[in-house]
Amino acid sequence: MDVLIVEDDDSMAAALTAAVSSTGHGAARVARGTDALLRHRDFDVILLDLGLPDMDGLEVLRKLRQVTDVPILILTARDDERSVVLGLRSGADDYLIKPVKLVELLARIEAVTRRAMPASGRKDSLIRLGELALDTDRRVVQVKGAELALTPTEFDLLALLAKNAGSVVTREQILDTLWGDAFLASSRSLDVHLTGLRSKLALPGFIVNVRGVGYRIEADPQ
């Protein structure tokens, strides 16, 4: 796996590069958002700092999401709720607040790349639930025949719930499947992604909140 590190701080970039390389992955660093936009095609995952010298990291994120579905993790010193929500709604798969624990960073990278891998050859790739049709191989979602533009994480969340339609999927199960562990930051990520997913589906009552436990899709598979 090749990781692109978009980070303008030299010491932070060196630490991130060393951590990624120590696990056998390839790592390259750029310090500017424009360089990230030029080089992203050569990498399997992107670590994106929001405080870049030439352009805001959120703008870089939005531009990347127009052209690629590669997993993107935000690395930022901005721990305010607004920045977190904006990042996730703009298409980030996850985020980490600086200073970041390198063990946690590596776990998050493994988690987002694992769930981004296509699952080919499965017989259950097409799921129909009422007005929703979901193709897990092609990663396409349609509601009433119209294709939806979901972020990679929104798609993975919907797919997990759809595969377990009629049953409750606990928050812990979702966090473990999508992020690799029940980190506090990921728990907040889940809330934001779920809100965005419900808004795009525009199917009131489709995803039910089971208070204190998790979530359930009401419709039965067809």
Side-chain angles (χ1 to χ4, degrees), residues 115-131:
R115 59 189 170 86
M117 293 179 182
S120 59
R122 294 185 305 185
K123 296 180 180 179
D124 61 343
S125 63
L126 185 60
I127 302 173
R128 295 187 181 277
L129 299 167
E131 297 175 312

Side-chain angles (χ1 to χ4, degrees), residues 39-213:
R39 298 188 57 187
H40 71 88
R41 297 175 188 83
D42 300 325
F43 298 90
D44 304 302
V45 62
I46 298 172
L47 305 182
L48 176 63
D49 180 28
L50 293 186
L52 299 173
D54 60 332
M55 58 194 302
D56 188 81
L58 289 175
E59 182 181 355
V60 178
L61 173 60
R62 294 187 190 101
K63 289 181 180 296
L64 285 171
R65 275 292 168 250
Q66 292 176 10
V67 295
T68 181
D69 287 331
V70 67
I72 300 175
L73 291 86
I74 289 176
L75 290 172
T76 180
R78 307 177 192 174
D79 60 355
D80 60 286
E81 190 73 21
R82 181 176 181 275
S83 295
V84 170
V85 170
L86 282 174
L88 294 171
R89 287 183 175 172
S90 297
D93 293 272
D94 204 353
Y95 72 94
L96 291 157
I97 303 297
K98 296 178 181 179
V100 59
K101 296 179 180 178
L102 296 183
V103 173
E104 181 180 352
L105 169 65
L106 295 174
R108 300 284 192 92
I109 291 175
E110 294 291 343
V112 298
T113 52
R114 183 173 60 247
R115 59 189 170 86
M117 293 179 182
S120 59
R122 294 185 305 185
K123 296 180 180 179
D124 61 343
S125 63
L126 185 60
I127 302 173
R128 295 187 181 277
L129 299 167
E131 297 175 312
L132 179 139
L134 184 148
D135 189 326
T136 55
D137 281 353
R138 295 174 56 226
R139 295 183 69 84
V140 172
V141 177
Q142 293 182 330
V143 173
K144 302 177 183 178
E147 187 171 330
L148 300 185
L150 302 184
T151 68
T153 302
E154 287 170 349
F155 180 92
D156 292 330
L157 174 56
L158 178 59
L160 176 60
L161 295 174
K163 291 172 186 175
N164 295 277
S167 301
V168 176
V169 182
T170 68
R171 289 181 65 88
E172 289 77 15
Q173 288 173 323
I174 295 172
L175 294 173
D176 184 68
T177 301
L178 268 64
W179 283 279
D181 204 345
F183 293 116
L184 175 61
S186 292
S187 180
R188 293 169 65 196
S189 296
L190 171 56
D191 294 333
V192 175
H193 286 300
L194 185 64
T195 299
L197 176 59
R198 280 173 163 159
S199 176
K200 292 178 181 180
L201 289 174
L203 295 171
F206 185 71
I207 300 177
V208 177
N209 181 10
V210 182
R211 188 176 179 83
V213 181

